Amino acid sequence: EHSLEEALKECIEQLKAEQKQCIELFYYQKQCYQEIAEQLGMNEKKVKSYLQNGKRNLKICLDKKNVS
């Protein structure tokens, strides 16, 4: 039985690179859209979209692991 934290780490590992970077910077390093956009050299719209897709993928992944 996975803890939520372990499951989340595994799911984040499986994300596409950009989604993974955005999620890690936003949630773990508490950066705002603008900071992430500057750091990754993309616009804020892209960052927002990677975060939304990343979160959706994480939710699907966590549901499969039966933790939520």
Side-chain angles (χ1 to χ4, degrees):
E1 183 64 9
H2 275 32
S3 75
L4 179 58
E5 204 168 303
E6 283 176 315
L8 196 54
K9 276 206 168 78
E10 282 178 22
C11 290
I12 287 175
E13 283 307 312
Q14 292 167 19
L15 291 175
K16 291 199 182 83
E18 292 92 345
Q19 292 177 7
K20 186 179 159 187
Q21 285 177 309
C22 288
I23 295 266
E24 285 178 340
L25 291 170
F26 189 75
Y27 290 103
Y28 292 102
Q29 297 182 33
K30 305 282 187 262
Q31 294 192 9
C32 68
Y33 290 154
Q34 191 188 343
E35 291 171 314
I36 297 171
E38 282 172 15
Q39 197 167 328
L40 299 182
M42 58 178 73
N43 64 38
E44 288 180 48
K45 264 207 192 84
K46 270 242 157 64
V47 171
K48 207 177 236 172
S49 127
Y50 284 133
L51 279 168
Q52 282 171 338
N53 294 332
K55 277 195 291 195
R56 192 176 60 237
N57 291 334
L58 287 177
K59 189 178 180 341
I60 293 166
C61 178
L62 289 172
D63 287 346
K64 281 187 193 152
K65 290 182 185 290
N66 292 323
V67 286
S68 40

